[in-house]
Amino acid sequence: MEQYTVTGMSCAACTARVEKAVLKVNGVDSCSVSLLTNSMGVEGTAGADEIIAAVRKAGYDATLKKTAKNRNAQSFSEEETLKDRETPVLKKRLIASLGFLLLLMYVSMGHMMWNFPLPGFLSENHVAMGLLQLLLTAAVMVINQKFFISGFKSLMHRAPNMDTLVALGAAAAFGYSTFALFAMTDAQVKGDSEAVMSYMNEFYFESAAMILALITLGKMLEARSKGKTTNALKGLMKLAPKTANIIRDNAEITVPVEQVVKGDVFVVRPGENIPVDGIVLEGNSAADESALTGESIPADKTAGSRVSAGTINQSGFIRCEASRVGEDTTLSQIIQMVSDAAATKAPIAKAADKVSGVFVPFVIAIAVITVIAWLIAGQTAGFALARGISVLVISCPCALGLATPVAIMAGSGMGAKNGILFKTAVSLEKTGKAQIVALDKTGTITQGKPEVTDMIPAEGINETELLSIAYALEKKSEHPLARAVSQKAEQEGLTAEDTEDFQIFPGNGLAALLCGEMILGGSYKYISGKISVSESMKEQSQKLSEVGKTPLFFARGSKLLGIIAVADTIKEDSPRAIKEMQNMGIHVVMLTGDNERTARAIGKKAGTDQVIAGVLPAEKERVIRELKQKGKVIMVGDGINDAPALTSADIGIAIGAGSDVAVDAADVVLMKSRLSDVPAAIRLSRAVLRNIHENLFWAFIYNIIGIPLASGVFISIFGWQLNPMFAAAAMSLSSFSVVTNALRLNLFKMYDSGRDHKIKKIVKITTEKENNSMERTLKIEGMMCGHCEMHVKKALESLEGVQNAEVSHKTGTAVVTLEKAVSDEILKNAVEKEGYKVTGTE
């Protein structure tokens, strides 16, 4: 996405006009304009010159923001772009306007209503008084000439905006009052005192000036509040150090941070900010990373540790090598994500955009109809004009345009401060609508750091021999379980022997040649399909699975060497986080490649609603597609082997990203490994969505009530009549109230579950994977030994649809795991053909 800075916009009608103009450019796929940040995001192949030309043709101006890809674009600081330049300018305009307005009100209303003293030449000469009012009003109009320049320029481009409404209202009041002044002058020359007094009452100079002053006041309050919504983003930008102390030619020099290149060695003293991302070469310290991750506890840093730009070195002196600089640093990527989220539009904003596109012409038409209607009804031109002016100035497209972006910016900023990064406005909106959350087990629910818990050697094999063979096989694998076995062997001081023809069977096991002999390792299903496994070993395996441990079988040649059990501990906050999601009405599913027993044991400890076991990495995406048929799905994983599933889900959340925040497959990135950030993200999304609904409600209801009130619809019913000055005040406050409401999000407690609201609970979901994993238990008579078990096992596993069969002559049972529906009759016939009798099926 290319980002542009757009100037000259004043309301939602302007953003709609710019978007419409840019979307007409060949090669533009999508365009999103933000009134809040005066930015535009464009995707497609169109050139920057064509896009800028289209914006200028629409009556506005645009410049391409400088990024790593656009070195030739206009150079500027992102922080400078967000700097509030509007408020000081508007403040000066307001002070000057109020000075002339107070004098005007004293002359026009103070003398007339409260008999305030005036110089004799004014009190006795009504033409002089009218002329002074004209001059004072003209001064206010000149001070606020931007309304007229922007408003009439937009009108000429056939794209009227909020400034057009203000300009037309003020110009109409001033023009009619000027006409009344000339008519009064003529009447005074003719000596018609009654006409003079009549025309005096037709003056609306003070209304014209008051409209401009009040709208300026509203715009100033709005600009100030808008500036506060970007505080979180500006706070992140301020973290970026301006200089770095680097080592060059064996000397320490201070250079601007822009001059640091990858591979430079830099030093950081206690209390200093780390200038770029790097790797610690020497020294020990603790880094305060709270500004990036929201984690209040400082992270220990030793040789080999990663450090991030913008974090604070708290205690020791460290030397580091720069690994990522400029826009590649973690801090820059976070800033870019928050900025991109503000530059995109949430689906909920589309309705407001459609209304905004036709709102101003619609209001102008209503104002004209109002004037004509009152004239036909027999009212004076002054009365009819006052109603039309009121319609023009009370209508507020700004409130509609700001309702969504201010809430999105405030929400994404709040998330960023807590290490929760929403990539787009769409992801911020959709996260809160989730009905199902699918959690990958390893690294999400559990720590992702399995450890060896048990070693059960087969008869005639000792633990050292079992671990040595396992180490030789597992050392070449990158799987977390393999790393656990390797780590245990290294702790025991063992050395791995070299293997040949190493093979990986994803989700099943490993094979290799050791000294010319085949060695195997993996699940019971994999090993039992290759060699015979004794009943006692099988029972040991089941006991380990029932307590949440993963049994790994190892064999050499045709002989079983034993079992090594590995377990991954559940994160401390996982059960609480899962419970919080369930309290929100969300159905929580755990996905794992573990066998059914192990998976259910872990799922029970964690408290998930559902466990889908035996899911190979390649199958996760299919399971997510099935879950999506039941409701909106969030997939939470580590963003590496979960990439297809993250992409397939309605919202993909990458957890524990740390410094690698640019996880392409994810819509939301969690910098920490805490599962509690998932319900926090959902909670924040719901709060933002609720805030947007409130903003849109007030924006729409304000106009729905305000326009009829201003046009005089309620005069005959209730006697309600709205002065144009009060209409202007109402317009000023409408946008201010919307922005102020969005600022409440800065006070939102995203980790507080006390006020969670349940959505409609999803009923029990059964996926194809679970249907494919149905179990049947056959009661069999006639089995006497292990050979009998092998006959029954082979007979059952030869059937289409049978995934696995665990047979025991001691208990007289065969537990059959099915990949698809297989009738009891087929299972029974297969066993009885081998000479055994099936007495029942469960």
Side-chain angles (χ1 to χ4, degrees), residues 759-786:
I759 57 173
K760 187 177 179 181
K761 181 73 175 178
I762 297 288
V763 296
K764 169 72 175 176
I765 300 167
T766 304
T767 66
E768 185 184 340
K769 182 69 187 177
E770 285 187 303
N771 287 331
N772 291 348
S773 300
M774 293 183 293
E775 283 189 353
R776 294 281 190 279
T777 301
L778 306 181
K779 293 182 179 179
I780 303 170
E781 290 182 355
M783 293 190 296
M784 306 296 291
C785 63

Side-chain angles (χ1 to χ4, degrees), residues 650-662:
D650 293 293
I651 291 293
I653 298 182
I655 191 169
S659 59
D660 298 317
V661 295

Side-chain angles (χ1 to χ4, degrees), residues 150-265:
S150 171
F152 290 122
K153 186 179 178 182
S154 298
L155 196 59
M156 289 170 61
H157 282 92
R158 293 183 295 175
N161 56 19
M162 187 210 79
D163 289 345
T164 307
L165 297 178
V166 176
L168 286 175
F174 182 80
Y176 181 76
S177 301
T178 303
F179 165 77
L181 175 61
F182 280 102
M184 186 181 72
T185 305
D186 184 59
Q188 185 164 318
V189 170
K190 292 177 181 178
D192 188 348
S193 59
E194 187 176 336
V196 168
M197 294 307 296
S198 175
Y199 283 120
M200 273 286 288
N201 293 326
E202 296 293 310
F203 284 175
Y204 285 96
F205 287 120
E206 75 281 356
S207 292
M210 182 68 82
I211 287 168
L212 294 170
L214 286 174
I215 299 298
T216 302
L217 172 63
K219 295 292 278 183
M220 187 194 76
L221 294 173
E222 177 190 320
R224 190 172 179 182
S225 297
K226 277 163 61 179
K228 289 181 180 178
T229 64
T230 60
N231 279 352
L233 184 54
K234 286 184 281 193
L236 286 170
M237 291 173 179
K238 287 176 181 176
L239 293 175
K242 300 294 185 285
T243 60
N245 298 320
I246 64 173
I247 305 297
R248 283 188 183 163
D249 299 325
N250 295 321
E252 182 181 326
I253 59 171
T254 301
V255 299
V257 74
E258 293 83 6
Q259 293 182 16
V260 180
V261 297
K262 186 177 178 181
D264 274 348
V265 174

Side-chain angles (χ1 to χ4, degrees), residues 482-497:
R483 286 199 295 270
V485 173
S486 298
Q487 187 178 8
K488 176 67 174 177
E490 288 164 4
Q491 289 172 356
E492 297 292 328
L494 300 179
T495 304
E497 297 183 60

Side-chain angles (χ1 to χ4, degrees), residues 99 102 139 196 257 266 291 321 327 381 394 422 452 520 555 781 828:
L102 289 172
V196 168
V257 74
F266 61 91
E321 180 182 335
E327 295 191 353
I394 200 171
F422 295 92
V452 172
L520 305 168
E781 290 182 355
K828 180 180 177 183

